[in-house]
Amino acid sequence: MSTQSPSPNRDKVTVRTLLRKKRRGEPITMLTAYDYPSALAVDRAGVDVILVGDSLGMVVLGYDTTLPVTMDDMLHHAKAVARGARRALLVGDMPFLSYQVSDAEAVRNAGRFLQEAGMDAVKLEGGRERLSTIQAVVRAGIPVMGHLGLTPQRVHQLGGFRAQATTAQAAARLLDDALRLQDAGIFALVLEAVPDEVAQAVTERLDIPTIGIGAGPHCDGQVLVFHDLLGLYDRFTPRFVKQYAQLHRVIHDALRGYVDDVTARRFPAPEHGRPMKPEQAAAFRQWLQAFDAQRGGGTGSAAAGEAPHGP
Ligand code: KIV
């Protein structure tokens, strides 16, 4: 057995990198990715954290909510992301019912993200009701990211995808939840769709980084959904999203161009062809003449004799 340790990737972002960034006041960048090409692009852009979010249920699989997403779905996409990313910290999002039933099931499912899919950490939604689960997963050696505010797996209980912690009482409860999650061992906390003041109050009182989505500018980092940022998901775009491109239009125009070109016989053009070498083309033409003559002779079958010789 080799005694040499594998060469470390010195650029690799770890949970310690994020803590250091918080202490230094350096903003943390996080984006979702769901497959090999999106992971490659996000990683190459220098994003610190890639979340394989269960939002893939909506933006990739076309469901109305994240609830139908399964562990198998998540692992399938997480494996592809791990093949595309080199530097970013990789976080697998635990889907609905993969951690709510029992702490033992939560540990096993969280472990599968690391063992089978190459993730570095997991994320799960919820506050005080999830403390024992988080403690169990952390005890197993698995870094956990928390998620408070709008927690989409509770969409039916919340009465829709709506802002949270908008009253003083709800804001105080969210801050209390955040402190409890930190004590339970999470290394970072996503705050989704909460007022700026609430996110700021939480960020200032936690030692671990907060990552905001629709939570204003005071969080330690920001996260967006890949398809929202690029304008790839045109069914619905939350108000807090900044679209950096409108790729669904670009893609539509490109696809229409293809349909038009094929229909008008403009594609493939000569430059896309792959002609034979002239001597092979001549030999083939000669063989075809014999073939056609034999068929015309009334056999009705393709038995034209031996094919022309050549490599
Ligand atoms: O699933 C997801 O993409 C998320 C982000 C919105 C934080 O949970």
Side-chain angles (χ1 to χ4, degrees):
M1 199 176 94
S2 166
T3 51
Q4 280 191 323
S5 57
S7 59
N9 176 1
R10 295 195 189 287
D11 291 343
K12 175 78 184 172
V13 177
T14 68
V15 296
R16 287 162 59 90
T17 318
L18 304 187
L19 284 172
R20 205 165 45 235
K21 281 196 151 203
K22 164 137 188 158
R23 279 192 218 111
R24 292 180 181 165
E26 294 171 16
I28 296 165
T29 53
M30 172 161 142
L31 269 180
T32 64
Y34 310 106
D35 55 17
Y36 176 78
S38 59
L40 205 63
V42 171
D43 197 62
R44 283 183 180 166
V47 169
D48 297 317
V49 185
I50 295 181
L51 171 69
V52 186
D54 65 350
S55 50
L56 70 83
M58 298 172 74
V59 298
V60 176
L61 302 179
Y63 296 125
D64 290 334
T65 70
T66 59
L67 301 181
V69 177
T70 64
M71 270 303 291
D72 284 347
D73 292 332
M74 291 305 301
L75 292 174
H76 177 74
H77 287 272
K79 286 178 193 175
V81 167
R83 288 191 284 267
R86 207 190 130 264
R87 173 186 171 272
L89 180 84
L90 302 181
V91 181
D93 207 3
M94 298 198 66
F96 183 53
L97 291 190
S98 69
Y99 59 95
Q100 291 93 338
V101 177
S102 74
D103 290 353
E105 253 188 70
V107 173
R108 183 158 303 284
N109 284 324
R112 292 187 71 193
F113 274 106
L114 274 64
Q115 194 171 53
E116 297 174 33
M119 297 289 102
D120 304 311
V122 298
K123 173 170 87 58
L124 56 86
E125 298 179 6
R128 61 198 66 189
E129 72 285 2
R130 294 275 84 88
L131 293 180
S132 76
T133 309
I134 289 168
Q135 282 160 348
V137 176
V138 171
R139 260 200 315 276
I142 301 165
V144 177
M145 178 180 276
H147 186 157
L148 289 175
L150 170 52
T151 44
Q153 290 173 18
R154 284 189 182 268
V155 60
H156 297 307
Q157 228 169 27
L158 302 177
F161 296 106
R162 53 180 64 244
Q164 299 297 308
T166 52
T167 65
Q169 194 184 15
R173 185 179 164 89
L174 186 138
L175 172 58
D176 189 48
D177 274 347
L179 290 165
R180 291 189 197 207
L181 291 182
Q182 174 172 267
D183 288 346
I186 62 169
F187 70 90
L189 176 64
V190 168
L191 292 174
E192 179 165 356
V194 302
D196 298 9
E197 301 91 321
V198 179
Q200 181 173 14
V202 173
T203 302
E204 287 172 357
R205 284 161 183 80
L206 290 188
D207 299 322
I208 56 165
T210 59
I211 318 277
I213 173 161
H218 305 294
C219 293
D220 298 303
Q222 295 293 328
V223 56
L224 282 179
V225 167
F226 182 84
H227 289 57
D228 289 341
L229 179 152
L230 292 176
L232 275 168
Y233 184 67
D234 62 348
R235 261 166 86 177
F236 168 72
T237 306
R239 203 175 54 83
F240 55 74
V241 166
K242 178 168 176 186
Q243 269 190 353
Y244 288 81
Q246 298 236 322
L247 289 194
H248 73 274
R249 282 211 195 129
V250 176
I251 290 173
H252 176 80
D253 290 350
L255 300 181
R256 275 307 313 177
Y258 168 74
V259 170
D260 291 349
D261 274 0
V262 171
T263 308
R265 300 192 186 284
R266 282 189 299 266
F267 175 80
E271 66 268 28
H272 305 117
R274 188 182 220 280
M276 285 170 120
K277 288 192 173 135
E279 66 277 15
Q280 292 298 328
F284 185 51
R285 273 196 305 275
Q286 207 175 11
W287 180 85
L288 275 178
Q289 268 178 5
F291 174 83
D292 290 341
Q294 201 169 341
R295 288 184 84 204
T299 63
S301 81
E306 278 186 41
H309 296 292

